[in-house]
Structure formats: C-alpha cells, structure tokens
Amino acid sequence: AVLLQKPRSSWNDLKKMLGDKEFLSNLVQFENHNVSTETLNELQWYLNHPDFDQERVRRVSKACACLRDWVECTNTFAITAKRLKMP
C-alpha cells in the first residue's frame, strides 16, 4: 500500500486494495525507479518490523510471503537506482 500510494489506515483499506481486479497488473507495471525518498523512508518502518520477517510471513501465508519479497526487492532496486541516479 505504501509503494502503490493506496489508503492504508485500516484493514478494510488493505482488503480493498488486495481485492482490486487491477492489483496484480499494478504490481507488474510498477515503476520501481520512480519511488520517492519520502515513500522509501516510510517503507523502512514496515521492512524493519518483526512481523515483516520473511520466515514469519511465510509461516502465515506463502502468497503474502511472495508479496513481501516483492516489496523488499522493489525497495532495494529503488534505493540502488537513487544511489546510481538512474533516470
């Protein structure tokens, strides 16, 4: 939700995002080189949260674990792109 700039103040907001028929295509088309520094800073809280640990998420849901991995990879790419000043 942070990366996609979707409302995330409640579980209902997140369920709505996950249930959107365009959700997967939004992930595929996501421009990970255009993530703002503000968004990356906000994302760090989630990436560092103990509940976001890869194995912990995988024990709960393999599907969510894949989404969690996508978030981490997108974060890594976006930070690297900023360091290299990619267009």
Side-chain angles (χ1 to χ4, degrees):
V2 172
L3 286 170
L4 298 175
Q5 300 296 303
K6 300 288 184 180
R8 55 196 173 274
S9 61
S10 71
W11 176 236
N12 284 333
D13 288 340
L14 297 174
K15 287 192 299 186
K16 184 177 177 183
M17 180 193 70
L18 292 170
D20 183 345
K21 64 182 179 179
E22 299 296 320
F23 179 67
L24 287 178
S25 68
N26 288 338
L27 295 182
V28 170
Q29 297 173 9
F30 185 76
E31 295 185 13
N32 50 7
H33 57 281
N34 287 329
V35 180
S36 72
T37 301
E38 180 180 286
T39 298
L40 290 172
N41 289 339
E42 183 178 354
L43 190 59
Q44 298 316 302
W45 184 87
Y46 295 97
L47 290 170
N48 294 322
H49 196 283
D51 288 340
F52 206 68
D53 174 72
Q54 186 179 45
E55 287 307 312
R56 192 170 192 170
V57 173
R58 193 171 311 286
R59 281 193 304 264
V60 174
S61 168
K62 289 182 182 175
C64 284
C66 292
L67 184 57
R68 179 246 173 251
D69 292 346
W70 178 86
V71 169
E72 184 176 47
C73 289
T74 299
N75 175 69
T76 301
F77 181 90
I79 289 171
T80 302
K82 286 197 179 304
R83 286 184 184 150
L84 297 175
K85 297 183 177 142
M86 292 176 67

